[in-house]
Amino acid sequence: ELRLGQITGVAEEGMVQTDYPSINLVSIPTEGHSLWEEVLTDRIDGTLMGSISIPIYIELGDGNLKAVPEDCLSAPLFGSEWGNAVAEGDPILGFVETTIDALKDNGEWDELIEYWYQPDILRMGIDAPTSSSGRPAGVPAPGESAVVDRIYENGVLRGGCAPTPPHCMVDPDTNEWIGLGPETGKKLASAMGVEYETVGVGWDAIVAGLPSGQFDVVVTGLTYRPERDEVVDFTILGQYGFCVLARAD
């Protein structure tokens, strides 16, 4: 019987449960576990993951892992949308979307994608410049957004990160969060004129952390799922496919 492993709380876990109920799903806690290592040690036969991450893990597996299908990047099993997320109904959504649209227009977004979407997952982050204090155009006015008011009161924007290369990962040399997610958070904080802080959580807490105020914006690449959309508001940033990472033998 096929054993397909997924980190507890990730969207892929829900996809397997809903779309492939006959598969033996092995739910693996976030802390202390890497799915590619679980595949190599034969605890699981494979894991469903976004095609953009597949080359990273194949390189980490030193030739002992493969993608299913082999042409995963050009022909994934199926596709989905991903993006960041904010508390449902909060006006900060418009500011996040406008800021990222500006990054796309001036080319900075493409630079971030090109930098982080490659197998070298131990790259250090790109420092974002710090802007002057105050509320720039596009930022909700005082009293309009509970999240924005909290950010300015604390002087820091907190981005929620759950481990998923190349969006969020911990540099083993510095123990700091790096990746596309923290860099996006730095850009948002810079545009607001505040500091930035990454809050690391497990996948089983990444959605619940928004309404509870644990962090202000989910900067992890969050896969869109209807049940998540009932709790948070998404900023759709792109699409990607899903494939299975399995042992090469």
Side-chain angles (χ1 to χ4, degrees):
E1 185 178 11
L2 178 65
R3 298 163 301 164
L4 203 61
Q6 301 299 152
I7 295 295
T8 304
V10 299
E12 291 88 332
E13 183 182 45
M15 291 175 181
V16 173
Q17 291 172 328
T18 302
D19 302 331
Y20 305 97
S22 62
I23 290 179
N24 180 18
L25 176 65
V26 180
S27 185
I28 301 173
T30 301
E31 295 300 326
H33 296 275
S34 297
L35 287 176
W36 67 277
E37 293 176 321
E38 301 288 348
V39 175
L40 283 177
T41 57
D42 199 31
R43 180 182 179 186
I44 56 177
D45 299 310
T47 181
L48 184 69
M49 65 172 51
S51 57
I52 57 176
S53 300
I54 290 284
I56 295 175
Y57 291 107
I58 289 179
E59 180 169 298
L60 286 174
D62 196 25
N64 295 309
L65 297 172
K66 67 178 181 180
V68 180
E70 292 185 1
D71 57 348
C72 168
L73 294 180
S74 59
L77 296 174
F78 59 91
S80 185
E81 295 178 311
W82 69 273
N84 300 141
V86 302
E88 185 178 25
D90 196 282
I92 193 177
L93 176 67
F95 169 74
V96 173
E97 292 178 328
T98 300
T99 301
I100 293 179
D101 284 344
L103 294 176
K104 291 180 178 180
D105 290 342
N106 65 26
E108 290 185 71
W109 183 254
D110 289 339
E111 293 176 2
L112 289 174
I113 293 292
E114 181 179 0
Y115 185 90
W116 289 106
Y117 278 26
Q118 49 187 310
D120 182 8
I121 67 167
L122 300 183
R123 286 182 177 270
M124 289 304 298
I126 308 168
D127 292 332
T130 302
S131 62
S132 59
S133 61
R135 295 198 177 188
V139 177
E144 292 183 352
S145 164
V147 174
V148 172
D149 289 347
R150 183 176 65 214
I151 291 171
Y152 278 110
E153 180 179 350
N154 297 330
V156 59
L157 184 150
R158 298 166 301 162
C161 251
T164 174
H167 294 272
C168 286
M169 51 222 169
V170 177
D171 186 325
D173 293 329
T174 65
N175 205 36
E176 294 180 353
W177 285 93
I178 60 174
L180 179 63
E183 296 307 322
T184 302
K186 291 177 184 178
K187 296 292 184 181
L188 294 172
S190 175
M192 295 183 71
V194 297
E195 299 296 320
Y196 173 74
E197 174 187 339
T198 297
V199 179
V201 296
W203 274 104
D204 53 351
I206 192 67
V207 173
L210 275 175
S212 69
Q214 187 175 0
F215 40 80
D216 306 308
V217 179
V218 171
V219 295
T220 292
L222 196 65
T223 300
Y224 177 86
R225 296 287 288 172
E227 60 270 22
R228 287 177 168 175
D229 197 30
E230 294 178 359
V231 183
V232 302
D233 285 338
F234 274 84
T235 64
I236 299 300
L237 299 178
Q239 298 179 328
Y240 62 101
F242 283 90
C243 307
V244 172
L245 182 71
R247 288 184 301 282
D249 57 5

